[in-house]
Amino acid sequence: MSMALPQFTDPESFRAFRSDPPQWLPIATDIARSHGLDISAPHVFVTGTNLVVGLSDRLILKIFPPHLRPQFVSERGSLTQLAGRLHLPIPEIVAEGTRDGWPYLVITRLAGTLGSEAWPQLPEDQKERLLRQIGETIAAVQRAPLGPLAQIEPRWGDFMQRQMQDCRNRHTRLGLATKFLAGLDDLLRDAAELIPMDAPPVILIGEYIPENFLLACDDGEWSLAGLFDFGDVLAGWRDYDLLGPSAFMAAGRPGRVRSLLEGFGYTRPDFALKRRLMALMLLHRASDLNSHICIEGWQEQAGDLVELQELIWAS
C-alpha cells in the first residue's frame, strides 16, 4: 500500500487531519520502521501542534507539516545547540528526515511527571523552589551561544515592530477590558525605549510553562527533571522568557515572583523592569491576558495597566 502525507492549503484542514490519527499513524509507523525503531506499541499524543507519536517508552517521533517547517528548524537547531550545555535533561535527536515534504525528528523521551499535572497540588514552598529553578534554567539557556539560531526568523527587531503595530487590534479582538486598552498607547511608547531592539540576542524558548516541564520528587522535594518543546524559539531580549512563568505560575504571589526573578538574576524588581515586562506580556506572540493571567479576580483588582503590572510582579 502506498502511503503519502497530503499537502494542505490551510491550517484548518491540517488540524482536522491531525485529529484523525488513523489517517496518518500508519505513515508514522512506516517512518519509524524505516529507521529500525520499535513500533509495537505506538502512542499518539492528541495535544500539541504537530503529529507526535510515542515509540515505546524511549523515543518520540515528531512530524511537522510543511507550513510549520519553521518549528522544525527551531526544534532541531535548539536541541543541537543546547546539547550538553544544560544541567537539565532535554531531548536528544536520534534520527531525522523528510517524508513527502514533511520534515520529522525522532527524539529521546524524558522521564518525569508533567508539570501541568503536578503543579496545582504542590505546597507553596515547593512552588517557590521550582520557580527559582525555572529562573536559573532560563538564565542557563540564555548563556548558551546562539550558533545557527542567530539566523532564525523572525529577527527580534522586526518581530517587536510587527507585534507593536498589531497590539491594539489583537487585544481589542481578544476582549481586553477598556480600562486596560486605555493605557496601551502610553505603554507602547514606553516599550520603544524600555525594550532593547538591537542588544546582543539570546536564545528565547518562549514557553516556559508547566506543559513543557517534567518534574521529579525525591524525598518530598520537587525539582525540574526535564525541558522539552523548542518549536517557538526566537533570538532576542532576555526578559521575554520571564513571561510564561510570571503569567501561568507566579500568580502575583510575592514569594513566587521573588524566587523566579532571583533565580534568573534580578533582585527586587523596580518600576522600569515591571513596565518592560508588562509591555512584553502584551507583545508576546501568544498574548491573551484574559486567558493567561492566573490571578483570581485580577480584572477587578487592577484599574489600569500600571496597577496590573504591580499586581503581577508583586514584591
Side-chain angles (χ1 to χ4, degrees), residues 52-63:
V52 184
V53 184
L55 306 172
S56 70
D57 60 351
R58 282 195 331 108
L59 300 174
I60 288 176
L61 168 63
K62 297 185 72 170
I63 309 172

Side-chain angles (χ1 to χ4, degrees), residues 40-256:
S40 59
H43 168 72
V44 173
F45 290 88
V46 296
T47 58
T49 307
N50 302 287
L51 310 182
V52 184
V53 184
L55 306 172
S56 70
D57 60 351
R58 282 195 331 108
L59 300 174
I60 288 176
L61 168 63
K62 297 185 72 170
I63 309 172
F64 303 77
H67 71 276
L68 294 180
R69 182 175 179 82
Q71 290 198 2
F72 165 79
V73 173
S74 172
E75 182 106 11
R76 181 184 183 279
S78 301
L79 293 178
T80 301
Q81 191 63 18
L82 293 172
R85 289 192 163 101
L86 301 179
H87 66 283
L88 190 68
I90 62 171
E92 299 175 13
I93 298 174
V94 174
E96 62 181 280
T98 303
R99 176 71 171 261
D100 305 315
W102 296 48
Y104 63 82
L105 293 171
V106 179
I107 58 178
T108 55
R109 189 170 182 174
L110 305 177
T113 301
L114 193 63
S116 55
E117 295 177 1
W119 178 260
Q121 285 75 46
L122 298 183
E124 192 64 22
D125 65 322
Q126 295 294 302
K127 289 181 175 179
E128 291 181 8
R129 168 188 167 87
L130 284 167
L131 278 164
R132 184 175 297 275
Q133 292 179 5
I134 289 169
E136 293 168 350
T137 297
I138 297 171
V141 168
Q142 295 183 355
R143 284 193 295 270
L146 276 171
L149 294 174
Q151 306 305 316
I152 204 162
E153 296 289 345
R155 301 298 177 90
W156 178 250
D158 296 337
F159 171 67
M160 278 287 104
Q161 288 300 323
R162 288 202 299 271
Q163 295 300 101
M164 288 181 183
Q165 290 167 8
D166 187 52
C167 187
R168 175 170 290 278
N169 289 336
R170 176 188 182 89
H171 291 288
T172 300
R173 184 175 67 252
L174 292 171
L176 187 63
T178 303
K179 63 181 179 180
F180 300 122
L181 291 172
L184 202 52
D185 290 342
D186 289 341
L187 183 63
L188 291 175
R189 278 193 295 270
D190 289 350
E193 298 295 327
L194 289 170
I195 301 172
M197 298 298 174
D198 50 11
V202 298
I203 297 174
L204 301 175
I205 304 301
E207 291 189 323
Y208 286 93
I209 56 178
E211 288 79 4
N212 294 342
F213 292 123
L214 290 170
L215 307 178
C217 186
D218 181 18
D219 195 26
E221 294 284 335
W222 285 86
S223 300
L224 290 181
L227 176 66
F228 61 94
D229 195 349
F230 297 84
D232 292 313
V233 162
L234 289 169
W237 179 247
R238 61 196 304 257
D239 292 357
Y240 186 80
D241 267 349
L242 291 169
L243 305 179
S246 293
F248 289 93
M249 305 176 78
R253 304 279 187 96
R256 298 190 202 177

Side-chain angles (χ1 to χ4, degrees), residues 261-289:
L261 295 181
E262 288 181 353
F264 183 68
Y266 283 142
T267 54
R268 185 182 180 90
D270 59 16
F271 180 85
L273 175 59
K274 294 178 183 181
R275 190 71 166 161
R276 181 164 63 245
L277 291 173
M278 188 73 254
L280 286 168
M281 184 171 283
L282 285 155
L283 295 170
H284 194 282
R285 66 180 4 156
S287 180
D288 181 359
L289 270 59

